[in-house]
Amino acid sequence: MIAIAGTIGTGLFLGTGRSLAQGGPASMLICYGIVAFIVYVTLLLLGEMATQYPVAGSFNAYATRFFSPSYGFALSWNYWFNDAVSVASDLTAAQLVLQFWTTWHPWVISLVFWVFLVSINAFHVRAYGELGKEYWLSSLKVVTIIIFIILGIFVNVGVNQSHTYIGGDNWRIPGAPFVGGFGGFAKVFVTASFAYGGTESLGITAGETRNPSRNMPRVVKFVFWRILLFYILSVLLIGLNVPWDYPDLSNKSTTTSPFTIVFEQAGSTVAASFMNTVILTSVLSAGNHALFAGTRVLYGLSVVGPNPQAPRIFSRTTSAGVPLPALLLTSSISVLCFGSSFIGSGVLWGWLQNIVGVSNQIAWLSIGLASLRFRKAWVRQGRSMEELKFRAEWTWPWGPWFVIISVTVLILVQGWSSIFPVFSAIDFVSLYIEIPVMLVMYVTWIVAKRVVSTSPGSGNSFSAPAHETTPLIGTGTGGSPSRWFDIVDIQTVDLHKDEYDEDVIDEAEDEKRAKRLQSGARLLWRVYYLVA
């Protein structure tokens, strides 16, 4: 439910409108399908590592352990930046959702919601939990999408205000099914990546998952297929029922949810308002989650090991345990959302969506890099394949390379329309700013390590972490890392540390499950496990 809650949100409810307007129904369906397959393979690679090493930190920890500590540092800061910008994106999305009812001063709406979310997170972690209720909000999202799918089918076959059969007519109107040529097609990739962002949160829960060697593989497979089912069916029905040139679907000042449009097509204003209310709660829940997670990521960077990866000031907490300085810095990025008064909510949300979408792609790329090094280390050190607690056998050996190459191509190609036929500086920056940011953070960590290593006992609060005792390639005299690279040596990296060993309780649970599936009521138990 955490993965579903983190994935089904503004990207699906609002982002599909932008995708349809920019690329058309065919581009949207194809791009969402391609990204879905990339995410599926990525989840399998992450599940392989998370099952073997169920540690806190997920792909950040695996990138640091198997690829490069400096890259892991840059990735951690990128993940914080992702959460911080996501808060701004969600506050801007709230403006767009509320435009269904009123167009009154959008920046005031953002300010009210910003104060509300910061106040909730400043009091106590329990307040976040009470607001979040992620399990029930996730259930509401799932039920709403199921209703939408059923309603969308009826609308398409003629149960609509005009009482006409729609079928595939919207794929044959002028400009459809591919809008904007190759540039429009490529542009949909970043909105699709924004929509699928959050699936990697599965790995974050690995360290706290009961019996991970049994549960993580199942979670990876089932959650993906559920998300794929919801997304692909929803995208298909949106493309069939909503024309790409629908008024105010996506422009400078606004973006309208295709879900709300379909409910309106069914002839119910009340149902459309209900759909919009669900979207608004989803937006606020996502903003609440991003602010909480971003605050904890920054706090974690400041307290990791004896030597932090962020200034110590962010480790300070209130008497209730809330890391207030980290909360204030994370929430301060949200001032971006107030720019909507000058450039339009629709345009601003598009830029923020680009930034978050590329950040998600960098996370998937990092999982591919970590998996590649992990698998090479496993083979190079002579570990048996039978020792892997979960092995996505059909992805050997091409899986990591597929993710690395395909995601790299997406990152490079999706900004085509920002360069051709006319160069758009702001669109270009929003699509590619993450690349130099990652490089700067990587170099910053390398330089910081060198400064600290040449100034022992300086008491610098921003020094190299203790985990960099990991053996590195290209070490010089005394085992010091090479000047600009700290790639982990796969021949000597410890593959036994943090490995999960099943305990008696895990074995008893597995035995209990096996007996149920062999009993006379095995069919009922299979249905139970499938649904539950």
Side-chain angles (χ1 to χ4, degrees):
M1 295 307 285
I2 287 174
I4 290 174
T7 305
I8 298 177
T10 52
L12 178 60
F13 292 135
L14 278 175
T16 45
R18 184 167 180 249
S19 298
L20 181 60
Q22 291 181 334
S27 295
M28 182 170 66
L29 185 61
I30 293 171
C31 289
Y32 273 73
I34 291 173
V35 175
F37 182 71
I38 293 173
V39 170
Y40 179 41
V41 177
T42 304
L43 281 181
L44 290 174
L45 303 183
L46 177 60
E48 210 170 60
M49 294 184 288
T51 305
Q52 199 72 21
Y53 307 103
V55 297
S58 186
F59 56 89
N60 296 325
Y62 302 134
T64 299
R65 179 171 181 173
F66 298 114
F67 181 56
S68 163
S70 294
Y71 182 85
F73 166 78
L75 185 62
S76 296
W77 274 97
N78 175 74
Y79 202 58
W80 169 79
F81 185 65
N82 184 341
D83 285 327
V85 174
S86 291
V87 179
S89 173
D90 291 327
L91 290 175
T92 306
Q95 298 176 11
L96 299 172
V97 173
L98 283 169
Q99 285 178 10
F100 179 79
W101 295 296
T102 178
T103 57
W104 179 78
H105 297 304
W107 69 270
V108 176
I109 294 170
S110 286
L111 179 61
V112 171
F113 285 145
W114 182 85
V115 171
F116 174 67
L117 292 180
V118 172
S119 300
I120 287 292
N121 280 270
F123 284 118
H124 197 280
V125 66
R126 191 173 299 164
Y128 161 80
E130 290 301 317
L131 178 65
K133 295 293 186 186
E134 291 297 343
Y135 185 89
W136 299 109
L137 284 173
S138 300
S139 301
L140 177 61
K141 293 177 187 179
V142 170
V143 170
T144 302
I145 292 173
I146 292 173
I147 293 173
F148 168 80
I149 291 172
I150 296 171
L151 185 65
I153 294 172
F154 279 110
V155 167
N156 187 260
V157 299
V159 185
N160 50 55
Q161 286 180 314
S162 59
H163 304 290
T164 57
Y165 175 77
I166 299 175
D169 290 349
N170 288 322
W171 283 56
R172 293 187 290 270
I173 62 177
F178 294 97
V179 176
F182 178 75
F185 174 81
K187 196 182 292 185
V188 178
F189 281 121
V190 72
T191 55
S193 298
F194 174 84
Y196 281 107
T199 49
E200 67 281 350
S201 64
L202 284 172
I204 298 176
T205 65
E208 302 164 40
T209 300
R210 189 174 182 179
N211 196 352
S213 63
R214 175 173 63 86
N215 288 323
M216 286 306 295
R218 290 173 183 160
V219 166
V220 167
K221 293 176 181 177
F222 277 103
V223 167
F224 172 79
W225 287 113
R226 288 166 188 166
I227 290 172
L228 179 63
L229 180 69
F230 294 145
Y231 266 87
I232 298 303
L233 276 180
S234 297
V235 164
L236 175 62
L237 289 169
I238 288 169
L240 289 173
N241 292 328
V242 182
W244 70 268
D245 56 355
Y246 187 90
D248 292 333
L249 181 62
S250 180
N251 56 40
K252 179 179 179 180
S253 60
T254 188
T255 295
T256 306
S257 170
F259 284 76
T260 303
I261 294 171
V262 171
F263 273 78
E264 280 187 310
Q265 288 177 328
S268 175
T269 305
V270 174
S273 291
F274 168 76
M275 183 69 243
N276 225 48
T277 303
V278 171
I279 296 172
L280 183 60
T281 60
S282 174
V283 166
L284 291 178
S285 172
N288 186 43
H289 172 78
L291 183 57
F292 179 86
T295 299
R296 267 62 189 178
V297 168
L298 184 55
Y299 171 80
L301 288 171
S302 69
V303 298
V304 58
N307 302 302
Q309 295 184 351
R312 289 284 191 189
I313 187 174
F314 297 117
S315 64
R316 297 177 184 175
T317 61
T318 64
S319 58
V322 176
L324 195 58
L327 172 64
L328 293 176
L329 181 62
T330 304
S331 61
S332 67
I333 305 298
S334 303
V335 298
L336 290 171
C337 69
F338 301 125
S340 60
S341 299
F342 304 100
I343 60 178
S345 300
V347 172
L348 178 62
W349 189 65
W351 294 343
L352 297 176
Q353 193 181 45
N354 290 343
I355 293 173
V356 176
V358 175
S359 182
N360 292 335
Q361 291 169 343
I362 289 175
W364 303 337
L365 174 65
S366 303
I367 292 171
L369 289 170
S371 175
L372 178 67
R373 302 293 294 176
F374 161 67
R375 288 183 172 186
K376 283 189 174 182
W378 195 269
V379 173
R380 188 72 59 86
Q381 295 186 28
R383 295 287 299 269
S384 169
M385 293 299 167
E386 283 69 32
E387 293 182 76
L388 286 172
K389 301 184 185 303
F390 168 59
R391 182 188 178 200
E393 189 171 355
W394 67 278
T395 66
W396 283 68
W398 59 271
W401 280 114
F402 168 75
V403 171
I404 294 169
I405 294 172
S406 60
V407 174
T408 301
V409 170
L410 293 189
I411 292 174
L412 296 177
V413 168
Q414 63 198 7
W416 179 274
S417 61
S418 69
I419 304 174
F420 305 101
V422 178
F423 180 73
S424 172
I426 297 179
D427 288 341
F428 181 84
V429 169
S430 68
L431 286 162
Y432 294 107
I433 187 64
E434 293 280 353
I435 298 175
V437 167
M438 285 288 292
L439 290 174
V440 167
M441 296 306 292
Y442 180 90
V443 173
T444 297
W445 191 245
I446 291 288
V447 172
K449 288 190 300 181
R450 288 178 57 79
V451 170
V452 171
S453 65
T454 56
S455 306
S458 62
N460 195 315
S461 66
F462 193 72
S463 52
H467 63 239
E468 294 203 4
T469 54
T470 301
L472 308 174
I473 292 176
T475 54
T477 306
S480 61
S482 60
R483 184 170 183 177
W484 295 113
F485 301 100
D486 59 352
I487 305 300
V488 174
D489 188 351
I490 59 175
Q491 296 185 8
T492 54
V493 63
D494 189 355
L495 293 178
H496 294 279
K497 181 182 177 183
D498 299 320
E499 273 193 293
Y500 180 76
D501 291 323
E502 293 189 2
D503 54 28
V504 177
I505 297 177
D506 292 343
E507 293 175 355
E509 284 186 351
D510 289 340
E511 185 178 346
K512 181 179 180 181
R513 180 188 177 96
K515 287 181 178 179
R516 285 175 171 177
L517 295 177
Q518 293 173 2
S519 66
R522 57 183 175 274
L523 182 59
L524 293 176
W525 281 115
R526 286 185 184 279
V527 173
Y528 167 77
Y529 285 124
L530 179 66
V531 174

